[in-house]
Amino acid sequence: MSSVLHPRLAPRRSTARASTWWGKAWVRAIEEAAYAESDLVASRTLARGGHVGQISTEPGRFVASVEDRRGLWTVAGGIPVLEDAAVSALVETVAAESGRVAALLAGELPFTLVEHAEEAGVELLPYGGELSSTCTCDHWTDPCTHALAVLQQLTWLVEADPFVLLQLRGLPRDELLGRLHARTEPVEDADVDLDAAVEAALYAARLLGDAEPLG
C-alpha cells in the first residue's frame, strides 16, 4: 500500500478555515466530528501555529505528530475507503468529461464531478461520522484537539491537491490515471480519445511543474 509523506506546513496567520468549496465541505465534517467548540478553537491554534509535523497519507489512513506545551503526541486517523464498485463508478465519472482530468491535475475539484459521483452512489467528501482517530495523549474526547489539528491541516492539503482526498478514499493518483489510460472507449462528446486527453493534461501539468506523482 503506497503512502505519501507531505512536507510540513508552515505556520499561517490567516484565520480563514478554507478557501475552496471542497475545503469548506471538509471543514464542516471536522466541525461535525468535534465534541466541543473549545476543542475546535484549540485545534485551529495548533494547526495555524505550525505544531503539526509531516502528515503521512495512504488509502483510508493518515498519521502525524502534534506538539503542544505538554509534549509530543502521535495521531492516527482514518476515513472509509470506497468499495471496488464505487471506485469503478468514480473512474467512470472522471472519464465522462475530459476536462475533469485536467482540472484535478491543476489542483481543482469540479463541483459537477462530485455531484455526478453522488448521483452514481459515490460519496467522495466525508461527513463527521466518517472521521475516526486515535492519539497517544490522555484526552478523553475523540477526536481530541491533536487529531482535530491534523484534520485542520489536512484541509489545506486537500484544498491544494484534490488527489489527497482521492487517495484517502482509496483511489491514488497513479491508479486513477492508469485506469483512465486503460480505457479504450472515446470520451463522450469529445473529438479525441481519453488517452490523448490524459496525455495532454499530464503534459500541461508538467509544464506547470505539477507532475510529481502523489502515490
Side-chain angles (χ1 to χ4, degrees):
M1 182 177 296
S2 60
S3 63
V4 177
L5 185 62
H6 302 273
R8 184 168 184 166
L9 298 176
R12 294 190 176 192
R13 292 185 178 180
S14 172
T15 59
R17 301 172 191 176
S19 59
T20 64
W21 75 266
W22 63 92
K24 292 175 182 178
W26 182 277
V27 168
R28 282 197 298 271
I30 298 175
E31 293 172 345
E32 291 171 358
Y35 180 79
E37 179 64 25
S38 59
D39 292 341
L40 285 169
V41 172
S43 71
R44 291 169 191 145
T45 299
L46 289 172
R48 289 197 300 267
H51 297 287
V52 178
Q54 289 181 278
I55 301 176
S56 174
T57 58
E58 62 186 56
R61 177 178 166 85
F62 58 87
V63 178
S65 61
V66 181
E67 187 174 14
D68 62 12
R69 59 184 177 80
R70 295 175 54 232
L72 184 66
W73 317 101
T74 299
V75 171
I79 176 175
V81 297
L82 301 174
E83 297 181 354
D84 291 344
V87 169
S88 296
L90 180 57
V91 172
E92 292 295 323
T93 302
V94 174
E97 294 183 13
S98 59
R100 289 174 176 171
V101 179
L104 288 170
L105 289 167
E108 297 289 332
L109 182 61
F111 181 80
T112 56
L113 190 162
V114 175
E115 185 178 47
H116 293 167
E118 290 180 354
E119 292 173 357
V122 182
E123 295 289 340
L124 189 56
L125 289 161
Y127 58 88
E130 290 187 307
L131 301 176
S132 62
S133 65
T134 60
C135 182
T136 56
C137 76
D138 57 0
H139 205 286
W140 63 273
T141 60
D142 179 19
C144 65
T145 56
H146 308 113
L148 290 170
V150 177
L151 286 167
Q152 300 285 359
Q153 285 209 355
L154 269 173
T155 303
W156 307 338
L157 292 178
V158 168
E159 282 198 306
D161 187 355
F163 279 107
V164 176
L165 173 61
L166 269 62
Q167 182 207 25
L168 286 169
R169 280 301 203 186
L171 184 59
R173 170 178 172 149
D174 287 349
E175 181 180 342
L176 171 60
L177 296 180
R179 292 179 69 157
L180 292 173
H181 272 296
R183 290 172 53 90
T184 57
E185 295 182 359
V187 178
E188 184 179 354
D189 298 328
D191 295 328
V192 296
D193 63 19
L194 183 59
D195 281 348
V198 173
E199 288 295 340
L202 286 171
Y203 177 71
R206 283 195 294 271
L207 291 179
L208 294 173
D210 186 33
E212 182 178 349
L214 284 175

